[in-house]
Amino acid sequence: MSIIRTIKGKNTWVFSGLIIFTLFSIVLSITYGPATITSADIFQCVINECASPMHDMVIWQIRIPRVLVGLAAGMGLACAGAILQNVTRNPLADPYLFGIISGAGLGATIATLVVSDQQSLTLPLAAFLGALFSVVIVFGIATLLRNMNHLLLTGVAVSFMLGSISHFILYLGDPFATNRVIFWLMGSLARVEMFHFYLIGAMVLITLLTIFALHRQIDALLLGDESAASLGVNVDKLRLILLALCAAVTATIVAYCGGIGFVGLMIPHIVRQLVGVTTMPLIIGSALVGGCFLVWVDVAARSALSNVEIPIGIITSAIGSIFFLAIMYRTRKTG
Amino acid sequence: MKLTHCLALVLSSVLFITNAQANNSESKLVTAIATDKPRIIALAPHIVEMLFDIGAGEQIIAATEHTDYPLAAKKIPRIGSSLRIQLERVIELQPDLVIAWQSGNPSDDLARIKQLGFNVVYSQPDSFEDVAKELRLFGKLSGHSEQAERVAAKFLADLASIKQQYGQKKPLTGFYEVWSRPLTTIAKGSWPQQFLDICSISNPFIEADARYPQVNIEQVLQSHIDIVIQPLSESQTGKDGYDWQKWSILPAVKHQQIITLDADVVHRMTTRSLHALTDLCQQADKSREYYQNSNGT
């Protein structure tokens, strides 16, 4: 009900536009890729039967999984970023603040250099375990310090610590394997399958449903811990649930897509400009914009150069850094 | 004694079964390829070169970046690099056979190509003998068995002759420079180590933990290096190599015994590697003569 209220409110046009653009993005992005397939061929494939087995394979086993995983991963990262920024009241918080990318990188490094067989299975599993390991360390230290406000600094410290271990292992490792780990850390949707969409999609859905259930308490947190507590919110418990949820969804995305930077940091900032800071519109808007953003970035990654694929993290980081410089410039002018 | 016999019997059985399985999977693959002249995607420059050597060059429909030899190979369409293969292009081209480099291609891409139902065979030549073995295998798979057999036999004969000519020479101590920044050399198990073994050049870093260890110049200065071997590719300049001239404490620098090789030929596991091997052995021989004449050692 509150979702309908959110969409029906003053942001009706914004959300209508975003929903239409998301559907349009999903359909149109399937037409881009290195294989030469016309829109008519794709339409025929989706509606009836593909003209050739080649079309069937490319569309159903490569492109559609890529588009759907891109959409789910973009939604997950953007929502996690939005929630973290609201929960920590820190505009610079992002899903990687727990050192997740460094932990996943360490897991991937160990899997690539130690286990040479079955890497399509071992690498994501090791990356996921590495990501969770970093989250546990960050939470453990923050709990030990009895100060959740130190979470961001703890995440930075743990990132550097795990990063240095990875670099040391890579330094001693085989050059080819080292190259592959470095490429993996840059992020890519090239290896995804429908199974990954179901997994990431399920995690994103659980995250969204939990946030929808707790959106009033999260809004109360925006007023400050004391105000939230006076309204009957168990601040520490709520914060822990949301942080654990964000960590789990980010770790799942990183395990299958590698390190995709800036999405969780940048998208919520854009959405706040459109719909404000309240949790429900912010989360729905972030999910739609984040999903569309990653779908189109992946289109650029697979189509911009004819013979090679560009790592998706390179594009998101490039856009993200320009975006931040622009924001700083604007703040300087208005401030 | 009985135990030794049992162990020998078990070991020979295992070897026999492994060999039989390899031959079985090979013949299965030949059967799976439904045509005499299969269309091939070759996922590494050395694979392309070997296919051209056995007369199967025209059957290659796609390759990866850095495929530059022979000249005709430059025209082959590219479908990725050592870091990422464009799966859509593989599907679009519908190859009868994909030959992949086991350690040089992304394993997740190869797993996906296999999962999509394509015939994948792996290339992993770790020694000169492996090159001959793979030439024969590619010959069988591509429908060029006779030519492949001829090329492999000549390759092995040439290798035996080089081994005979240079294998018993007085050893020299050599430092093999893989990269200059960071300074990286070779050890046991690496592809270039066999070049040093055949040319009677001893490697002070042969027992290092990694196959391509990064070393500190201090470690190099501690060794009595007679020759420095510096492979450079055509695209590299002298500036890309390590500047040895500062270290005249090393006999190799003091006597200017720095051997330059064509990196693209040495580091590519093909029949051309024997040219690089001959070149290295000849240059090492000249250094030996130099030291003998000048009593520099």
Side-chain angles (χ1 to χ4, degrees):
Chain A
M1 276 310 283
S2 50
I3 298 175
I4 294 162
R5 266 203 305 276
T6 302
I7 292 172
K8 268 189 174 175
K10 58 179 178 175
N11 298 316
T12 308
W13 290 109
V14 174
F15 284 114
S16 304
L18 285 176
I19 291 164
I20 291 164
F21 183 66
T22 304
L23 296 171
F24 167 80
S25 295
I26 293 167
V27 173
L28 196 67
S29 62
I30 296 169
T31 64
Y32 291 93
T36 317
I37 302 174
T38 63
S39 304
D41 290 332
I42 293 168
F43 185 74
Q44 191 187 337
C45 253
V46 175
I47 298 300
N48 190 11
E49 200 177 319
C50 296
S52 76
M54 185 275 279
H55 290 176
D56 186 88
M57 229 187 247
V58 168
I59 291 161
W60 291 108
Q61 299 204 42
I62 307 285
R63 278 195 204 170
I64 288 177
R66 271 186 94 143
V67 170
L68 294 177
V69 170
L71 186 78
M75 283 180 164
L77 290 171
C79 288
I83 280 304
L84 287 170
Q85 285 167 19
N86 272 16
V87 164
T88 59
R89 291 193 299 279
N90 183 336
L92 284 177
D94 102 326
Y96 295 144
L97 78 85
F98 310 111
I100 280 181
I101 191 69
S102 305
L106 178 60
T109 302
I110 292 167
T112 305
L113 297 177
V114 177
V115 190
S116 55
D117 295 330
Q118 296 293 317
Q119 284 201 350
S120 47
L121 293 171
T122 55
L123 198 139
L125 182 69
F128 182 76
L129 292 175
L132 285 190
F133 173 68
S134 72
V135 171
V136 168
I137 290 181
V138 171
F139 271 58
I141 294 171
T143 310
L144 214 68
L145 296 172
R146 291 182 185 178
N147 188 348
M148 279 290 163
N149 294 329
H150 283 171
L151 208 64
L152 191 62
L153 289 173
T154 310
V156 170
V158 169
S159 275
F160 277 108
M161 184 176 72
L162 299 180
S164 68
I165 298 169
S166 295
H167 289 151
F168 181 69
I169 297 169
L170 290 174
Y171 174 79
L172 298 175
D174 178 77
F176 272 114
T178 299
N179 262 353
R180 279 201 290 276
V181 172
I182 290 166
F183 181 80
W184 182 86
L185 286 170
M186 292 174 190
S188 174
L189 300 182
R191 63 181 76 82
V192 298
E193 298 169 39
M194 277 312 281
F195 163 71
H196 303 148
F197 167 66
Y198 300 140
L199 203 70
I200 296 169
M203 280 301 301
V204 172
L205 193 65
I206 291 165
T207 306
L208 287 172
L209 292 174
T210 310
I211 293 166
F212 293 160
L214 299 170
H215 75 277
R216 290 187 199 287
Q217 289 93 316
I218 301 167
D219 283 341
L221 270 185
L222 289 171
L223 305 168
D225 287 7
E226 284 177 13
S227 308
S230 67
L231 291 168
V233 176
N234 184 338
V235 174
D236 286 343
K237 191 179 170 186
L238 175 69
R239 193 170 269 142
L240 197 69
I241 289 168
L242 293 170
L243 292 176
L245 201 64
C246 291
V249 76
T250 308
T252 310
I253 292 165
V254 167
Y256 290 105
C257 310
I260 304 169
F262 270 108
V263 178
L265 191 60
M266 178 174 60
I267 300 298
H269 279 277
I270 295 170
V271 175
R272 268 189 208 94
Q273 306 293 317
L274 295 171
V275 298
V277 295
T278 318
T279 302
M280 277 302 271
L282 178 66
I283 290 300
I284 297 167
S286 293
L288 294 171
V289 176
C292 291
F293 175 74
L294 212 56
V295 162
W296 285 109
V297 167
D298 187 49
V299 165
R302 66 178 185 259
S303 313
L305 300 177
S306 58
N307 302 329
V308 286
E309 174 123 357
I310 305 168
I312 199 167
I314 291 178
I315 304 171
T316 55
S317 297
I319 295 169
S321 56
I322 292 165
F323 167 81
F324 265 93
L325 289 171
I327 276 198
M328 280 195 287
Y329 182 72
R330 229 181 89 180
T331 314
R332 185 194 66 87
K333 280 182 82 172
T334 53
Chain B
M1 198 64 195
K2 272 185 180 175
L3 183 70
T4 318
H5 278 122
C6 282
L7 280 173
L9 191 69
V10 168
L11 190 68
S12 58
S13 305
V14 168
L15 285 171
F16 175 78
I17 291 163
T18 312
N19 201 25
Q21 278 178 339
N23 288 336
N24 195 21
S25 67
E26 203 176 291
S27 58
K28 263 186 195 169
L29 195 63
V30 174
T31 315
I33 299 165
T35 167
D36 293 344
K37 294 279 180 281
R39 298 157 74 254
I40 303 168
I41 286 181
L43 295 177
H46 77 268
I47 299 168
V48 170
E49 210 173 307
M50 280 204 242
L51 289 169
F52 270 97
D53 276 341
I54 60 172
E58 286 184 2
Q59 290 163 237
I60 305 171
I61 52 172
T64 48
E65 295 295 323
H66 308 296
T67 300
D68 56 5
Y69 193 89
L71 210 58
K74 289 186 176 181
K75 292 175 189 159
I76 299 169
R78 303 292 193 260
I79 55 154
S81 66
S82 60
L83 294 172
R84 183 61 60 213
I85 308 298
Q86 292 182 302
L87 294 177
E88 284 195 24
R89 297 276 292 122
V90 173
I91 296 166
E92 187 179 35
L93 291 163
Q94 290 289 305
D96 301 305
L97 174 66
V98 175
I99 306 180
W101 184 12
Q102 192 142 23
S103 66
N105 292 136
S107 56
D108 53 346
D109 278 348
L110 298 182
R112 199 76 203 280
I113 291 168
K114 233 177 163 167
Q115 184 198 3
L116 289 167
F118 292 102
N119 296 311
V120 179
V121 69
Y122 296 102
S123 162
Q124 190 55 47
D126 292 322
S127 67
F128 289 125
E129 288 73 14
D130 287 347
V131 172
K133 221 181 280 179
E134 290 196 359
L135 282 166
R136 289 182 173 124
L137 171 67
F138 297 167
K140 257 186 213 169
L141 297 172
S142 65
H144 293 267
S145 290
E146 277 181 35
Q147 192 172 339
E149 185 52 48
R150 275 200 305 277
V151 174
K154 185 183 181 305
F155 178 81
L156 289 174
D158 290 348
L159 177 65
S161 141
I162 297 167
K163 278 182 177 175
Q164 195 178 12
Q165 193 176 349
Y166 296 100
Q168 303 304 317
K169 299 277 185 176
K170 184 184 170 202
L172 278 174
T173 303
F175 178 82
Y176 192 98
E177 178 194 319
V178 179
W179 285 298
S180 58
R181 288 181 294 269
L183 188 58
T184 307
T185 188
I186 57 168
K188 200 167 45 190
S190 65
W191 168 261
Q193 181 55 48
Q194 59 185 336
F195 286 72
L196 271 60
D197 294 341
I198 292 167
C199 297
S200 299
I201 300 164
S202 66
N203 175 8
F205 296 97
I206 192 162
E207 295 300 336
D209 291 334
R211 284 185 305 159
Y212 295 94
Q214 293 178 18
V215 292
N216 190 308
I217 187 65
E218 288 183 28
Q219 295 169 275
V220 182
L221 295 177
Q222 280 175 354
S223 315
H224 182 95
I225 305 290
D226 298 314
I227 54 171
V228 168
I229 303 152
Q230 199 174 44
L232 293 171
S233 66
E234 257 183 45
S235 57
Q236 288 176 301
T237 62
K239 283 180 190 170
D240 292 321
Y242 190 83
D243 181 13
W244 291 100
Q245 298 312 318
K246 289 185 282 187
W247 312 110
S248 55
I249 187 175
L250 293 170
V253 180
K254 186 181 168 189
H255 299 284
Q256 290 302 298
Q257 296 303 307
I258 296 172
I259 294 171
T260 309
L261 296 173
D262 184 344
D264 294 336
V265 181
V266 185
H267 296 155
R268 211 170 275 184
M269 302 77 99
T270 64
T271 53
R272 274 198 306 158
S273 55
L274 289 193
H275 302 317
L277 178 65
T278 308
D279 185 18
L280 175 63
C281 289
Q282 282 173 351
Q283 292 200 60
D285 235 12
K286 279 183 191 165
S287 295
R288 264 187 212 99
E289 267 178 52
Y290 170 83
Y291 282 122
Q292 274 169 1
N293 295 338
S294 65
N295 292 323
T297 46

